[in-house]
Amino acid sequence: MAGRRLEAFFRAQIRFLRRFTVKRRLLMTFLLISAAPLAIVATVSFYYSYQDATHKIESNSMQIIQQIKINADAIVSDYEKLLQTIVNEDLVQTDLKGAAELDRLGQYRLDDELKRMLNVKMMGNPMLDGIIVALPDDRYSMYVGNRMMPPEYG
């Protein structure tokens, strides 16, 4: 029974092919034997190449993001350490609190000492553009950096 079905299938194929000229039959055979597998291989190759490229881009992007995060954390940590050392300086803890009550000569002396201390701190961190030291009540502020700003006394 399976043999008869197979025989009927091939007879139908032969009848179908006899409707075409030899030239057309050769062209269809060529396309069937060479171009169809080539198209399948090209499609599969494109799919896997696309998946691989997508995976590599995602992987590299994640690595870059992680590296940026590590660098940003290191920079923030450096700034926090610098801030902590400035805040813990005796000059800031003692002399700066009474800066507004000092006479002009005392204020100039304090300005010079603060500038010296802040310049030393800035030399160790070339990424800084400047440092501002100010009292919370705005009675005194001092900027040391690349811009010229005079100290202000409230």
Side-chain angles (χ1 to χ4, degrees):
M1 182 179 267
R4 287 186 180 185
R5 284 187 185 165
L6 192 59
E7 187 179 329
F9 174 75
F10 282 124
R11 280 188 189 158
Q13 297 301 320
I14 291 171
R15 269 184 276 147
F16 174 73
L17 288 175
R18 285 196 176 158
R19 287 195 279 171
F20 300 106
T21 64
V22 174
K23 184 178 177 182
R24 287 194 188 253
R25 279 189 248 163
L26 285 173
L27 180 63
M28 287 188 333
T29 305
F30 169 74
L31 291 176
L32 189 65
I33 290 174
S34 64
L38 184 62
I40 291 170
V41 168
T43 303
V44 170
S45 175
F46 173 77
Y47 174 76
Y48 283 115
S49 296
Y50 180 79
Q51 292 296 326
D52 187 46
T54 303
H55 176 71
K56 285 182 181 179
I57 289 171
E58 288 174 359
S59 174
N60 288 341
S61 296
M62 291 306 292
Q63 286 177 347
I64 290 170
I65 290 170
Q66 287 298 325
Q67 189 63 43
I68 290 171
K69 180 187 177 302
I70 290 168
N71 291 346
D73 288 345
I75 289 170
V76 169
S77 174
D78 289 347
Y79 286 148
E80 286 175 347
K81 288 177 189 173
L82 177 64
L83 174 66
Q84 202 59 39
T85 59
I86 291 172
V87 167
N88 290 335
E89 286 283 333
D90 289 336
L91 181 66
V92 173
Q93 288 295 321
T94 57
D95 296 346
L96 189 60
K97 290 179 182 174
E101 287 79 32
L102 292 174
D103 61 348
R104 282 283 183 215
L105 190 60
Q107 289 175 346
Y108 292 144
R109 180 194 55 79
L110 178 62
D111 291 346
D112 289 342
E113 289 178 19
L114 271 173
K115 283 180 188 176
R116 216 173 296 123
M117 185 262 300
L118 293 175
N119 278 325
V120 168
K121 302 294 183 194
M122 280 187 60
M123 291 294 195
N125 198 337
M127 293 183 65
L128 281 179
D129 187 39
I131 300 174
I132 296 176
V133 176
L135 292 175
D137 55 8
D138 286 333
R139 290 183 299 148
Y140 178 81
S141 68
M142 163 67 73
Y143 175 85
V144 174
N146 297 332
R147 292 178 281 156
M148 296 297 288
M149 292 177 65
E152 294 179 19
Y153 292 89

